[in-house]
Amino acid sequence: MRSMSVRAPRVALIGSALLATVALAGCETMGSVASPRQYAVLETDTTGATSTNIASLSEVVQRNPNDAAAYNTRGAAYARAGQFNEAIADFTKAVSIDPNSGSAYNNRALAYRQTGRNDAALQDFGKAISADPNYGPAYIGRANVLRAQGDLDGALSDLNVAIRLMPESAEAYHARGLVRQKQGQNTQAIADFDAAIDRNPFVSAPYAARGQSLIATNQFDKAIEDYNAALNVNNKDATSWAYRGLAYEKSNRRKEAMENYQRAAGIDPNNAVAKQGLSRVQGGVGSLFN
């Protein structure tokens, strides 16, 4: 397996949200019919710590009812807990107090995305950028919406700005790789995924994304290595199992391909890559190479 960077992931404090909502950023997996849209969201808190934190933050809000940062921070805590309507209400209060808070607009946009309100998110990302043209996370967020809407040139432009402002952002490089992948520029996409992994080697999405571009460029063994890494982080990702199956199938290792397709189908029976792959390797529609 290729040597993997051990550079520690870099994390920056973005505004007063203290990273809580930064983890909501639209760092989606590849635009494949086989996978639902996925966001890099924090796992649901089962310890009760989030509820305790919200209670203490509510006390801060009560003592400081005109403090935009207090609402912004509590809104981030609500978002971590999956209470997006409450989060949106707090971010709305924050921007009513401080209309120049790029952080609050950006946080509300991320919460809007989680509730499927992409048009509202797009407006708020724009407001965040207007409030602070150097606020990198808003460019990443807006680019993810633009990519989802098919505006690849607009997304690429935003991500170039984000990378200039935040050259150590793994998320920015990952997002740009996804845009280039959609544009069919797989060699450039691989370079961006390399940069994302170099900055944060401990998340699965860039490995899985790079794996697709490696398959597209006929680098099947390297793709398998990437899916090994992705599944080592998250072994319940049906899409990674399915694409590792595809890489095995394309390298003529049908037994391994079938095992991976079966594993993917067991997790997600509707996974299109797995269903089509099983049909091929079981003889339903002939070989992938015919």
Side-chain angles (χ1 to χ4, degrees):
M1 181 172 178
R2 286 173 292 176
S3 61
M4 186 172 63
S5 169
V6 294
R7 180 188 299 181
R10 293 163 174 78
V11 181
L13 294 179
I14 306 298
S16 61
L18 300 179
L19 291 178
T21 308
V22 175
L24 298 174
C27 200
E28 299 167 25
T29 55
M30 302 68 66
S32 164
V33 295
S35 62
R37 183 175 300 153
Q38 298 177 8
Y39 300 93
V41 295
L42 297 178
E43 294 182 1
T44 302
D45 174 36
T46 59
T47 67
T50 300
S51 297
T52 301
N53 191 38
I54 290 171
S56 63
L57 291 171
S58 294
E59 294 177 3
V60 174
V61 168
Q62 290 169 4
R63 292 196 303 268
N64 303 275
N66 296 313
D67 184 353
Y71 286 99
N72 196 20
T73 303
R74 188 178 67 175
Y78 275 129
R80 285 181 67 119
Q83 297 175 243
F84 297 112
N85 290 333
E86 291 85 351
I88 289 167
D90 269 1
F91 298 139
T92 299
K93 183 66 175 178
V95 298
S96 71
I97 296 171
D98 181 6
N100 295 314
S101 175
S103 174
Y105 279 120
N106 184 70
N107 288 343
R108 189 171 68 175
L110 294 170
Y112 278 142
R113 284 217 73 188
Q114 291 295 326
T115 56
R117 299 161 70 179
N118 279 353
D119 289 340
L122 199 61
Q123 290 180 4
D124 268 4
F125 285 129
K127 291 176 181 177
I129 291 167
S130 295
D132 182 359
N134 293 317
Y135 192 70
Y139 290 96
I140 300 173
R142 186 169 70 178
N144 284 325
V145 179
L146 293 174
R147 175 169 55 83
Q149 294 180 342
D151 183 0
L152 301 182
D153 290 339
L156 186 62
S157 177
D158 271 356
L159 290 166
N160 288 337
V161 175
I163 288 170
R164 176 175 58 80
L165 294 171
M166 305 167 61
E168 292 302 315
S169 171
E171 184 185 356
Y173 279 104
H174 177 221
R176 192 172 71 176
L178 293 175
V179 172
R180 286 176 161 167
Q181 191 175 67
K182 272 200 165 186
Q183 292 176 322
Q185 299 176 3
N186 283 293
T187 299
Q188 295 92 327
I190 289 168
D192 274 345
F193 297 137
D194 288 344
I197 291 166
D198 183 53
R199 285 156 177 77
N200 185 357
F202 306 116
V203 294
S204 64
Y207 293 101
R210 188 171 66 180
Q212 283 200 20
S213 287
L214 289 168
I215 290 173
T217 54
N218 299 320
Q219 300 180 72
F220 306 127
D221 288 342
K222 289 183 178 180
I224 290 167
E225 291 176 4
D226 269 359
Y227 287 115
N228 290 343
L231 290 165
N232 187 54
V233 176
N234 177 14
N235 70 357
K236 298 186 184 302
D237 180 13
T239 300
S240 288
W241 284 106
Y243 274 99
R244 191 170 73 171
L246 182 61
Y248 277 127
E249 183 183 358
K250 282 179 171 285
S251 56
N252 205 31
R253 296 163 69 179
R254 296 171 69 88
K255 177 178 181 293
E256 292 90 342
M258 181 176 294
E259 290 171 350
N260 278 263
Y261 288 143
Q262 289 173 336
R263 185 67 179 265
I267 297 169
D268 177 11
N270 295 317
N271 186 287
V273 173
K275 289 170 67 175
Q276 294 164 9
L278 282 170
S279 179
R280 287 191 301 270
V281 298
Q282 291 173 343
V285 293
S287 169
L288 180 69
F289 303 99
N290 290 336

